[in-house]
Amino acid sequence: MYIDTKLENFKLRFAEEKDAVLILKFIKELAEYEKMLDHVVTTEEILIESLFQRKTAEVVIGEYEGEPVCFALFFHNFSTFLGRPGLYLEDLYVKPHMRGKGIGKIMLSFLASVAVERKCGRFEWWCLDWNEPSINFYKYMNAVAMGDWTVYRLAGEDLRGLAREFEK
């Protein structure tokens, strides 16, 4: 099912299992832009399991004149302070030749409408510190950087090592 937008010939739709190849392609294009392509280990099979079987996240695809030109992958988190779910945007990517046409704003405004419809208290995402074009765009959209917070991560062997501590 397509969702019409204010941009002529641009429509949105929620991804389906058959879109796993396309989603992986977008993920790799985004990773290349972020200079992190060597970090991508996901596969079509993993995406199918995670997105469409376990439903751990959702994907919206934007098409211009029938051609897929962008995607957004998001999921829900929960704020104990607000007592409400939040919408967390993991990835937003617009193909370079389509940037500057208002597509990013449409994608963010659509996700904001999803958040409001689902009674989310927040809509959040991370942005790499060096990504000035995106930072400027987010500021233009009135998004506020959470300067008082630092992101922490455990992954790989460190994650498994901490998990083993529980098993002792």
Side-chain angles (χ1 to χ4, degrees):
M1 178 179 86
Y2 283 96
I3 302 158
D4 287 321
T5 69
K6 293 178 182 177
L7 179 61
E8 189 175 340
N9 298 318
F10 182 69
K11 296 179 186 267
L12 299 176
R13 65 180 176 82
F14 281 91
E16 300 173 15
E17 189 171 317
K18 66 183 179 184
D19 293 310
V21 173
L22 174 63
I23 295 167
L24 183 57
K25 183 175 183 280
F26 277 139
I27 290 169
K28 288 181 177 179
E29 288 178 22
L30 173 61
E32 187 170 15
Y33 171 75
E34 292 179 339
K35 301 169 183 65
M36 299 177 74
L37 186 56
D38 58 326
H39 293 268
V40 176
V41 297
T42 193
T43 64
E44 293 170 38
E45 294 78 18
I46 291 170
L47 291 174
I48 289 169
E49 178 190 348
S50 296
L51 299 175
F52 304 106
Q53 294 170 359
R54 293 179 46 221
K55 300 182 190 279
T56 56
E58 298 174 71
V59 175
V60 175
I61 295 173
E63 295 181 1
Y64 183 75
E65 295 181 344
E67 173 195 352
V69 296
C70 64
F71 91 119
L73 187 145
F74 67 97
F75 54 88
H76 291 282
N77 54 20
F78 189 82
S79 167
T80 56
F81 287 11
L82 297 177
R84 292 179 172 259
L87 194 141
Y88 181 80
L89 174 61
E90 177 68 21
D91 289 332
L92 173 62
Y93 175 73
V94 178
K95 286 185 168 279
H97 74 281
M98 295 303 296
R99 294 178 189 159
K101 299 181 185 309
I103 288 174
K105 183 177 182 181
I106 291 169
M107 296 293 284
L108 286 178
S109 64
F110 175 73
L111 293 173
S113 73
V114 169
V116 168
E117 178 184 309
R118 296 181 184 181
K119 296 184 173 41
C120 294
R122 297 178 178 148
F123 175 26
E124 301 171 310
W125 60 91
W126 297 350
C127 182
L128 292 166
D129 292 339
W130 59 260
N131 192 345
E132 285 296 323
S134 293
I135 291 168
N136 292 334
F137 171 66
Y138 299 144
K139 286 180 180 177
Y140 170 77
M141 301 294 298
N142 295 323
V144 178
M146 301 295 293
D148 296 340
W149 296 85
T150 300
V151 177
Y152 289 89
R153 174 180 290 164
L154 280 172
E157 187 52 41
D158 293 326
L159 176 60
R160 289 186 289 279
L162 184 57
R164 284 192 295 273
E165 290 295 319
F166 181 75
E167 297 166 3
K168 290 181 180 179

